[in-house]
Amino acid sequence: MSETIDLNTPSVDPAAWTCPAPLRDQSRIVMGHGGGGTLSAELVRHVFAPAFGGETLTQLGDSAALSLGGVRLAFSTDSFVVRPLFFPGGSIGDLAVNGTVNDLAMSGARASYLSCGFILEEGVEMERVVRVAEALGGAARTAGVEVVTGDTKVVEAGHGDGIFINTAGVGLIPDGVDLRPQRVVPGDVVIVSGPIGVHGVAILSVREGLEFGVEIESDCAALGGLVQAMLAVTPDLHVLRDPTRGGLAAALNEIAAASGTGVVVTEREIPVPRAVAGACAVLGLDPMYVANEGKLVAFVPREHADAVLEAMRAHPLGRESRIIGEAVADHPGMVVARTGLGGTRVVDMPIGEQLPRIC
């Protein structure tokens, strides 16, 4: 039976742990520092942000909203180190485009231009480079963006993993659009655009040679069109996030912490494909922490929620959109889930990453 928790109990502070070592006392980088969870957040907040400075950086959004020459721009960069390079439903080339396009879309921007940097390992087959480049170009055309500049570096054999890619992108933010977690208020409705956990399980299945009775394909896709359909209903969306590393749980926790609100979701309303649920059960994973590459989570004012949901369901990438919860005044900064047995559980920020190298 699920245990009922006291929602006034503060969440665990990983910094207080002493076994095996306090997280902030790490003397070397570990895989979890790239996982989109607590370790990643500490690395950014305690190392990079103080070193770089600047007010814009402190917003720590998926992309930066900037004013330049009288227009509002979204600017984002991302690096891709997925292993394997090719997987059911996509490749590192698709991810390199869609990941950056989606980060821009979470600011409400329609992506226009991308840069692309390839880091190649000496000895990688030229045929693989060609396949990745063609996939990247195809994904850019599908997303309606143009790759306009780039760079290539080669590292010695044994000092890379075939192909790494970095992309950066810019796009215009329409007038009246202001998407950031600080705008979330109690009463906002939480909507997810479709089934979760698909990308992470697809990567794991091919990386480890696992079979789950059915091939699971990544949900890798560019979400710009879906976001524009939502904004056509109302520009007054409060925040959007694409739940990649750390999954839905990390995205909800980031929004709760930044907004100072609590979040309550209903587990049975969270869409998890049967194959993903089965794979996670076998592997001891929680689907809420598994990465996605073609989904978004939105916090929408209640008065607009039904119309926004209808518009999402009319778009090919949002047909299975669903309301899964709401923002509340109680337990600020904490995410809790109502279970099917009538209890509640805390959905904490992940410490590191269940599945490394998934993007």
Side-chain angles (χ1 to χ4, degrees), residues 227-271:
V227 171
Q228 295 306 312
M230 298 166 67
L231 291 173
V233 174
T234 175
D236 189 30
L237 307 179
H238 284 172
V239 70
L240 303 177
R241 283 290 169 91
D242 57 335
T244 52
R245 296 176 303 167
L248 180 62
L252 294 176
N253 272 278
E254 289 170 355
I255 293 169
S259 65
T261 64
V263 176
V264 177
V265 296
T266 302
E267 280 190 336
R268 67 179 61 185
E269 295 300 327
I270 299 173

Side-chain angles (χ1 to χ4, degrees), residues 314-332:
H315 190 277
L317 295 179
R319 290 194 182 109
E320 298 180 76
S321 298
R322 189 178 299 181
I323 293 174
I324 62 169
E326 64 179 338
V328 297
D330 297 334
H331 50 85

Side-chain angles (χ1 to χ4, degrees), residues 196-198 201 212 216 270-287 290:
I196 66 169
V198 180
V201 172
F212 301 111
I216 301 173
I270 299 173
V272 181
R274 184 184 300 273
V276 171
C280 288
V282 169
L283 299 170
L285 304 176
D286 184 338
V290 178

